[in-house]
Amino acid sequence: MQKGFLTLLTLTLLSQAGAAGTLVYGAPGEPVNLNAGNGGDSPSLQGDAQIYDRLIDFKPGTAELVPALATSWKSNAAATVWTFTLRKGVKFHDGTPFNADAVIFNVSRWWDKKNAYRYGATFDVWPQLLGGNKGEAGSLLRSVSKSGDTVVFTLNKPVTAFPALIGSYYFGIASPTAVKKQGTRYGTPAGSAVGTGAFILESWKAGDRLNFRPNPNYWGTRSTLDRLVFRFIKDPAQRLNEVRAGTVDFTSNLNPEATAQIKADKRLTLVLPTSFNVGLLNMNVRHPALKNAKVREAIRFAVNRPAIVDAFWGELGSVDNSMLPPSMAWANSKNVPPVKVNAQVAKRLLTEAGYPNGFSIDLWYPSISRNYLPTPKPVAEAIAADLGAIGIKVNLKTEDWPKYLEDRRAGVFQMYLYGWGGDYNDPDNFYSAFYGDKGSDDIGFNPGNILNTLNKGRAALTQAQKAPYYKQLHELTYNANVRLPLVHSTAPAAARTYVKGWITGPLSTVGSLNLVTVQK
């Protein structure tokens, strides 16, 4: 009976994947939510990208800004007032109009903790990237207002990258009517999610899939697909097996060793997105031992990062002492040394810090693969082994991804693995996410000199003017040594050869899929 059921299931999946007009994506996990502005994980953002448009988009395959729900934008000379002219005639999937009021409704939900339409959502990415919520000292935003078909953002500080920041994948514009109607159910399997994007969410089957259909009234290029399906498959090896079997049409965030298998399979196309990320070992200075700078320095000398990258990423990874991906090397300081590994120096530093016999600490790792960390557990095990060699006993721990994100934000973890995939092409994105106002609450580390330098970099107009500030930031964060860069990497992806028009870029492996076709 069970064998018959499995056979039927396999036949059903095969009939979906590759079917004329149906595209099935093997997603690396289930979204935490589809409430625009309230999700920071890849599965959530990949779903959001189908449902929502933002004010500004990126040209496919690049970090170049292009119009979306805003047709143009400009600033005053000081880069403190930004005016966006909105696209006319656009409607949400529920038929209600997109306009300036809708933009202000969404921004107010993200920014204002007292907003009545938050319905319990925290929108943590807003203060992480924009310095704080309404009324807080660090908030970059002073006000948002409208004038006819324009929306005006007035900032407390100059931010030259503001258009790219507000255009990042977090900030999709949701239907105010749908949010108000659904309340706490909005963006969950019990409700729906309504934007202006190229695809309409038909259903979210918890633990299984998202079902979409093309938006027939889309203002941009309309999809020629009949259906789009996101299946949740946490295990990267299973995702590869399913794309090889034809039960899914394409997938991403695969293990580096999958590259050879993909190349050898004539039915598949290998996709190697541009490396635009960083994987980090994060150290919470609230821990008595990690509060000591010499202990953190000992950990830096003990963890054999080059060997770990070679073992788990091979030629698809690189390591240095910078938060920034290789394409932003112009913002790195030559005063920061290359990676050095020395267990004897690490032991000496531990002794000097008062821990000659080491100590015990928890190291948390994600339960799902990330583009910067496709194999979290083995990497965590390698780090534990290196630290064990100098007397630090590491207790490895993990938990479900939504809970992991919640505990990370709450500063619960002593040490943990996490990282960042770039949202826009400016060093500010990587530094502000981890060192801006609220950015370091997870590890209890918020020094004023780093924040002041970050604000100066944000205000600079040109790359030449930005470079000195970001080079100084590089030196400051290297010396602080609270976030140890592990890797900049490329996570291979694979598609059946009949999948055409899938364009990956530095900012997203799976953005809006309206240009993708199935050509058998």
Side-chain angles (χ1 to χ4, degrees), residues 77-96:
T80 55
V81 179
W82 288 90
T83 302
F84 295 79
T85 300
L86 303 184
R87 189 177 298 276
K88 298 179 181 179
V90 178
K91 290 189 175 182
F92 291 102
H93 300 154
D94 58 9
T96 58

Side-chain angles (χ1 to χ4, degrees), residues 43-64:
S44 297
L45 296 178
Q46 290 174 357
D48 283 353
Q50 315 314 314
I51 300 165
Y52 302 108
D53 293 312
R54 288 114 45 217
L55 291 178
I56 298 173
D57 204 347
F58 301 97
K59 183 178 179 180
T62 76
E64 178 185 340

